[in-house]
Amino acid sequence: MLVIGFLFAGDSMRASQFDSILATLDRFRIEIPSWGFANTGTRFGKFVQPAAASTIAEKLADAGFVHSLTGCCPTVALHVQWDFPRGIESAPEVAGLAAAHGIAPGSINPNLFQDQIYKYGSFGNPDPSVRAAAAQHVAESIDIASRLGSRDISLWFADGSNYPGTANIRHRRRWFQEGLAAAHRLLSPSQRLLVEYKPFEPAFYHTDIADWGMAFLLAREAGPQARVLVDTGHHYAAQNIEQIVAWLLDHGMLGGFHFNDRRYADDDLTLGSIDPYQLFRVFHEILLFEWERGEQAGIAFMIDQSHNLKGKIEAMIQSVVTAQELICKAALVDHAALSAFQLSCDLVPAESCLQDAFSTDVRPVIAEWRRVRGLPENPLDAFRHSGYLERITAERSAHSNAGVSSYA
Ligand code: PSV
Ligand code: MN
């Protein structure tokens, strides 16, 4: 390790900083979503890409290729309705395909928003038979997770209403409480229920789980294995996401992230493309917490993006590489010095701890880490020169992608 450090020891980086970066990279894993490789779009339309994956086999092949280039994406998030065409019967095939591509199934995402029965909601639907169908789908998803050895079941609900007075907000909250507690009872001891929140879209008046506080309360009421999932795109524009992260950490309620970037709403842009300093601050809160506690927080880092304009695999690699860079920058914050400055209210030096770390170019050290591990030093370049895109474009153009998609 130190050999690498000395190789790159420039004027501004100390050996201990090299070591922090290397240790961070050794630990850092980020899950990529199967749906990020499929044709997706906006509600106004979809620009299909001939190379887009249209089967679970193709999605896992693409995910495996991203992992082979980056070395830090060993698991793939799966969406039950899109990736398990025969429900739990598809589980062995999915497990086999993942293994064949050197990866493993990751979080399992039930789909409680696409079927016609969910027009007025799933867990919050006034019709008990729809709530029962939603509960059944979640139960099957938990079975799938058990069959695949997946720890996390990630729940996102589109439930809400579009017009004032059309829904009983309190009754719906109760139904959510009951549904989540029932789902929690089905978990095996090693599994977790992650509760995601989102302020609006598709519902435009009220959303049943609209913010982190609602998700927090519902998760806490559901049981000890439930946590909150923070999707960075699911906030109002001015919200301080790292403060939410700090509070959830302090309560032991932060389960994981769906990373993406946004300028306006849930834009699903590549991570760090608009505001890399924000994600740096999020990583900083986590690393500071772990430094204070002397242990890792066990948080699931995941990407939740779908790319309508960029090439899907390129965009995924770009996101993974940016995530590595930002967490490495956050690892350069001098926690001891920062804590002392905070206690003495020494504002400018405290702020500089973050700014100095953020402005450090960590890319040469990351490239060296990759080289030592037999990974390409520049995964994006390696992808462009691999011939993979040309091959799948030719293969996949042979069958039409036009009808294949997911909502995301
Ligand atoms: C909803 O916007 C979301 O963030 C949820 O995580 C879904 O599972 C995912 O996107 C795909 O639609
Ligand atoms: Mn999400």
Side-chain angles (χ1 to χ4, degrees), residues 157-161 198-201 203-210 214:
F157 299 91
D159 290 49
S161 64
K198 181 171 179 173
F200 66 90
E201 196 207 17
F204 290 114
Y205 167 62
H206 106 280
T207 293
D208 285 293
I209 311 182
M214 297 178 201

Side-chain angles (χ1 to χ4, degrees), residues 35 79 82 113 156 196 198 231 234 258 266 304 407-408:
W35 55 95
H79 233 287
W82 304 332
F113 48 88
W156 173 68
E196 188 171 352
K198 181 171 179 173
D231 183 314
H234 294 187
H258 277 178
D266 187 21
D304 182 5
Y407 139 87

Side-chain angles (χ1 to χ4, degrees), residues 297-320:
I299 295 161
F301 295 123
M302 301 179 258
I303 291 175
D304 182 5
Q305 292 171 184
S306 48
H307 304 288
N308 200 20
L309 302 181
K310 282 181 177 172
K312 288 158 198 308
I313 301 176
E314 270 203 328
M316 201 61 76
I317 295 171
Q318 204 186 18
S319 296
V320 171

Side-chain angles (χ1 to χ4, degrees), residues 69-132:
L69 296 175
T70 58
C72 69
C73 314
T75 59
V76 184
L78 298 165
H79 233 287
V80 175
Q81 190 169 332
W82 304 332
D83 298 331
F84 296 82
R86 290 175 291 109
I88 194 153
E89 306 280 294
S90 300
E93 186 194 339
V94 172
L97 285 166
H101 293 292
I103 48 178
S107 64
I108 299 300
N109 296 252
N111 188 311
L112 297 157
F113 48 88
Q114 217 171 5
D115 283 353
Q116 292 299 313
I117 54 167
Y118 298 136
K119 182 170 179 184
Y120 301 116
S122 59
F123 274 34
N125 196 302
D127 182 342
S129 70
V130 176
R131 298 204 296 277

Side-chain angles (χ1 to χ4, degrees), residues 266-311:
D266 187 21
D267 306 342
D268 272 347
L269 302 179
T270 40
L271 170 168
S273 56
I274 302 290
D275 186 357
Y277 194 42
Q278 179 181 68
L279 189 51
F280 165 88
R281 298 191 305 265
V282 166
F283 281 137
H284 162 64
E285 287 301 330
I286 295 166
L287 297 184
L288 179 62
F289 173 87
E290 291 182 339
W291 174 78
E292 283 178 13
R293 300 286 165 116
E295 62 183 17
Q296 288 195 45
I299 295 161
F301 295 123
M302 301 179 258
I303 291 175
D304 182 5
Q305 292 171 184
S306 48
H307 304 288
N308 200 20
L309 302 181
K310 282 181 177 172

